[in-house]
PDB file of all heavy atoms in Angstrom:
ATOM      1  N   ALA A 414      -9.264  13.661  10.206  1.00  0.00           N
ATOM      2  CA  ALA A 414      -9.764  12.438  10.831  1.00  0.00           C
ATOM      3  C   ALA A 414      -9.592  12.637  12.333  1.00  0.00           C
ATOM      4  O   ALA A 414      -9.097  13.688  12.777  1.00  0.00           O
ATOM      5  CB  ALA A 414      -8.994  11.209  10.350  1.00  0.00           C
ATOM      6  N   VAL A 415     -10.002  11.650  13.119  1.00  0.00           N
ATOM      7  CA  VAL A 415      -9.781  11.712  14.567  1.00  0.00           C
ATOM      8  C   VAL A 415      -9.113  10.423  15.036  1.00  0.00           C
ATOM      9  O   VAL A 415      -9.238   9.374  14.399  1.00  0.00           O
ATOM     10  CB  VAL A 415     -11.103  11.907  15.359  1.00  0.00           C
ATOM     11  CG1 VAL A 415     -11.743  13.239  15.018  1.00  0.00           C
ATOM     12  CG2 VAL A 415     -12.074  10.749  15.110  1.00  0.00           C
ATOM     13  N   GLY A 416      -8.395  10.521  16.134  1.00  0.00           N
ATOM     14  CA  GLY A 416      -7.838   9.351  16.791  1.00  0.00           C
ATOM     15  C   GLY A 416      -8.642   9.113  18.055  1.00  0.00           C
ATOM     16  O   GLY A 416      -9.000  10.058  18.757  1.00  0.00           O
ATOM     17  N   ALA A 417      -8.947   7.862  18.358  1.00  0.00           N
ATOM     18  CA  ALA A 417      -9.755   7.548  19.541  1.00  0.00           C
ATOM     19  C   ALA A 417      -9.132   6.401  20.319  1.00  0.00           C
ATOM     20  O   ALA A 417      -8.834   5.345  19.739  1.00  0.00           O
ATOM     21  CB  ALA A 417     -11.187   7.194  19.127  1.00  0.00           C
ATOM     22  N   GLY A 418      -8.939   6.611  21.622  1.00  0.00           N
ATOM     23  CA  GLY A 418      -8.342   5.595  22.470  1.00  0.00           C
ATOM     24  C   GLY A 418      -9.361   4.943  23.369  1.00  0.00           C
ATOM     25  O   GLY A 418     -10.252   4.225  22.917  1.00  0.00           O
ATOM     26  N   SER A 419      -9.244   5.223  24.655  1.00  0.00           N
ATOM     27  CA  SER A 419     -10.063   4.531  25.656  1.00  0.00           C
ATOM     28  C   SER A 419     -11.551   4.843  25.557  1.00  0.00           C
ATOM     29  O   SER A 419     -12.374   4.096  26.082  1.00  0.00           O
ATOM     30  CB  SER A 419      -9.560   4.871  27.068  1.00  0.00           C
ATOM     31  OG  SER A 419      -9.603   6.264  27.289  1.00  0.00           O
ATOM     32  N   ASN A 420     -11.912   5.936  24.884  1.00  0.00           N
ATOM     33  CA  ASN A 420     -13.338   6.217  24.697  1.00  0.00           C
ATOM     34  C   ASN A 420     -13.981   5.266  23.692  1.00  0.00           C
ATOM     35  O   ASN A 420     -15.206   5.130  23.640  1.00  0.00           O
ATOM     36  CB  ASN A 420     -13.551   7.664  24.229  1.00  0.00           C
ATOM     37  CG  ASN A 420     -13.319   8.663  25.340  1.00  0.00           C
ATOM     38  OD1 ASN A 420     -13.758   8.445  26.461  1.00  0.00           O
ATOM     39  ND2 ASN A 420     -12.623   9.746  25.045  1.00  0.00           N
ATOM     40  N   LEU A 421     -13.158   4.603  22.897  1.00  0.00           N
ATOM     41  CA  LEU A 421     -13.644   3.647  21.900  1.00  0.00           C
ATOM     42  C   LEU A 421     -13.219   2.220  22.236  1.00  0.00           C
ATOM     43  O   LEU A 421     -14.034   1.297  22.215  1.00  0.00           O
ATOM     44  CB  LEU A 421     -13.106   4.024  20.514  1.00  0.00           C
ATOM     45  CG  LEU A 421     -13.274   3.001  19.379  1.00  0.00           C
ATOM     46  CD1 LEU A 421     -14.747   2.700  19.134  1.00  0.00           C
ATOM     47  CD2 LEU A 421     -12.602   3.500  18.106  1.00  0.00           C
ATOM     48  N   VAL A 422     -11.933   2.057  22.535  1.00  0.00           N
ATOM     49  CA  VAL A 422     -11.369   0.715  22.723  1.00  0.00           C
ATOM     50  C   VAL A 422     -11.435   0.325  24.201  1.00  0.00           C
ATOM     51  O   VAL A 422     -10.443   0.411  24.938  1.00  0.00           O
ATOM     52  CB  VAL A 422      -9.925   0.643  22.196  1.00  0.00           C
ATOM     53  CG1 VAL A 422      -9.451  -0.804  22.145  1.00  0.00           C
ATOM     54  CG2 VAL A 422      -9.831   1.259  20.810  1.00  0.00           C
ATOM     55  N   LYS A 423     -12.607  -0.097  24.625  1.00  0.00           N
ATOM     56  CA  LYS A 423     -12.784  -0.540  26.016  1.00  0.00           C
ATOM     57  C   LYS A 423     -13.992  -1.473  26.090  1.00  0.00           C
ATOM     58  O   LYS A 423     -14.865  -1.453  25.206  1.00  0.00           O
ATOM     59  CB  LYS A 423     -12.993   0.659  26.940  1.00  0.00           C
ATOM     60  CG  LYS A 423     -14.264   1.450  26.668  1.00  0.00           C
ATOM     61  CD  LYS A 423     -14.410   2.614  27.628  1.00  0.00           C
ATOM     62  CE  LYS A 423     -15.677   3.416  27.317  1.00  0.00           C
ATOM     63  NZ  LYS A 423     -15.820   4.573  28.222  1.00  0.00           N
TER      64      LYS A 423
END
Side-chain angles (χ1 to χ4, degrees):
V415 296
S419 58
N420 287 317
L421 168 61
V422 191
K423 64 180 179 181

